[in-house]
Amino acid sequence: MDLKTCIVVEDEPLARQQIENYISDIDALELKGSFSNGLEAQKFLMNNQIDFCFLDIEMPKLNGMELAKRLKEQKNECKIIFTTAYANFAAESYDVQAIDYLLKPLSKKKFINRVERILSEEQNMDKASLEHIQQEFLFVKTSYQIKKIALKDILYFEGLKDYIQIFTKNEKHPVLILSNFKNILKKLPEEQFMRVHRSYIVNLKKIEIVEKNRIIFGEKFIPISETYKDPFFEFLDDFLL
C-alpha cells in the first residue's frame, strides 16, 4: 500500500498524543505534523501537501468545522477525518465533504480498523482512476518522438507488415509506428476497438456507414473479412433498428 501523509489537529494534549500513537502503528501512514488549534493547521496546510487530516471539532481560535470549510473553499485536497466527542456535527460534516466521522472515545482497535479501511478504499479509487486515464489515450513511439493519441480521435489502424498506421479524425496523414496488432490489441479497450480484417482494427464508436461487407470512413473502404464477420455483425445487431 502506498504511503500516505497526515496531520493531527486536537486541542486536548492527551487525546492528541493518543491519536499520534495510533497513527504510529499504521504502516501506510506518515505523521507530518500535530497541532493544538485550527489556525496553526491552516497555516501548515497552505504550504504543505497532506493526504489526511484527523480533525477535532470543538477547539479554540478556529474550530475544526470552520477549518474544514476554509479548506474546501481553497480547494485543498487534504481529506478530512473528524475525531470528536460530539455526534451532533455528523450531518454538517457531509457539507464539508469529510470522508469519515469518528466518535470519541477512540479505541485503538476501532481507530486502526477504520483508518486502514479508508486507506484501502482510497487506494482502490486511485487504481480505478489510473485505469480510466490509461484507457483514454495511447503513447506511441514514432520516429524520434513519443506521441500521445486520444482514443476518441482514432478512426482505425491499418497493418503494413512490421508497421502500423494510425488514422485519426483531424489529421491528414496517419501516424506510423513499429508494432503489430497483437501488441496494439493488448493496449486497446475491447469494448471500443475491434479487429475486422487481418490488416484493420476499427474504432466502433466512429463507424457511421457499413455497406455490405465493408466499413466506410470518408473515401476509405475497410473490408470485413469472413474470419471477423460474425463478431462484428453481432455487435451491430445490438444497435440495429
Side-chain angles (χ1 to χ4, degrees):
M1 186 176 291
D2 296 336
L3 188 66
K4 298 293 185 179
T5 57
C6 68
I7 62 171
V8 176
V9 188
E10 167 65 65
D11 65 320
E12 292 291 337
L14 291 179
R16 187 167 64 251
Q17 183 64 54
Q18 181 187 57
I19 296 173
E20 291 173 10
N21 290 339
Y22 291 171
I23 290 172
S24 68
D25 286 332
I26 301 175
D27 293 337
L29 273 184
E30 180 181 7
L31 184 63
K32 288 292 189 178
S34 189
F35 307 95
S36 61
N37 65 73
L39 287 176
E40 292 177 358
Q42 182 184 20
K43 184 178 179 180
F44 179 82
L45 289 171
M46 288 176 63
N47 301 301
N48 297 274
Q49 185 174 343
I50 298 296
D51 296 309
F52 297 96
C53 175
F54 294 92
L55 181 59
D56 187 20
I57 293 180
E58 291 289 358
M59 294 185 295
K61 297 183 180 179
L62 181 69
N63 68 45
M65 193 61 67
E66 186 58 38
L67 173 59
K69 290 177 181 177
R70 292 187 184 184
L71 294 177
K72 181 183 176 183
E73 291 170 357
Q74 296 165 3
K75 298 185 178 356
N76 191 299
E77 295 183 359
C78 180
K79 297 177 178 65
I80 301 297
I81 300 173
F82 282 116
T83 56
T84 178
Y86 302 93
N88 55 301
F89 291 102
E92 193 175 353
S93 71
Y94 290 104
D95 294 333
V96 294
Q97 298 174 357
I99 63 171
D100 211 336
Y101 193 94
L102 306 182
L103 282 175
K104 299 174 183 175
L106 298 169
S107 72
K108 182 176 182 179
K109 181 179 180 180
K110 180 180 178 180
F111 181 91
I112 291 177
N113 286 343
R114 290 283 290 272
V115 172
E116 286 184 340
R117 186 188 69 190
I118 290 169
L119 292 173
S120 178
E121 290 173 352
E122 289 291 320
Q123 186 178 42
N124 290 337
M125 288 175 63
D126 290 344
K127 287 181 179 178
S129 177
L130 179 59
E131 289 171 0
H132 175 70
I133 290 171
Q134 290 173 335
Q135 290 295 299
E136 290 182 348
F137 56 82
L138 292 175
F139 278 111
V140 298
K141 294 181 181 179
T142 172
S143 299
Y144 300 102
Q145 296 180 328
I146 295 177
K147 184 178 179 66
K148 179 182 178 182
I149 302 177
L151 296 184
K152 65 181 179 63
D153 292 336
I154 296 173
L155 299 175
Y156 60 91
F157 299 82
E158 182 175 3
L160 301 171
K161 291 186 178 180
D162 296 328
Y163 291 87
I164 289 177
Q165 294 185 107
I166 306 174
F167 291 82
T168 57
K169 65 178 183 179
N170 295 321
E171 298 292 336
K172 292 182 179 180
H173 303 290
V175 176
L176 184 67
I177 64 171
L178 179 63
S179 189
N180 57 60
F181 275 178
K182 183 178 179 180
N183 290 332
I184 287 292
L185 287 168
K186 289 179 181 178
K187 303 292 185 181
L188 297 173
E190 61 181 18
E191 70 277 5
Q192 185 176 351
F193 290 88
M194 182 181 291
R195 192 170 187 174
V196 296
H197 187 276
R198 66 185 185 89
S199 299
Y200 293 98
I201 297 171
V202 299
N203 185 343
L204 298 171
K205 294 183 178 181
K206 294 299 181 182
I207 296 174
E208 294 186 359
I209 300 174
V210 178
E211 182 182 274
K212 297 182 179 178
N213 287 327
R214 57 186 185 178
I215 302 164
I216 302 174
F217 286 105
E219 298 180 357
K220 179 70 174 181
F221 293 80
I222 294 178
I224 304 166
S225 71
E226 286 296 325
T227 304
Y228 303 98
K229 183 178 178 179
D230 288 346
F232 177 74
F233 282 102
E234 285 175 9
F235 159 78
L236 283 189
D237 283 342
D238 291 336
F239 303 94
L240 199 60
L241 294 178

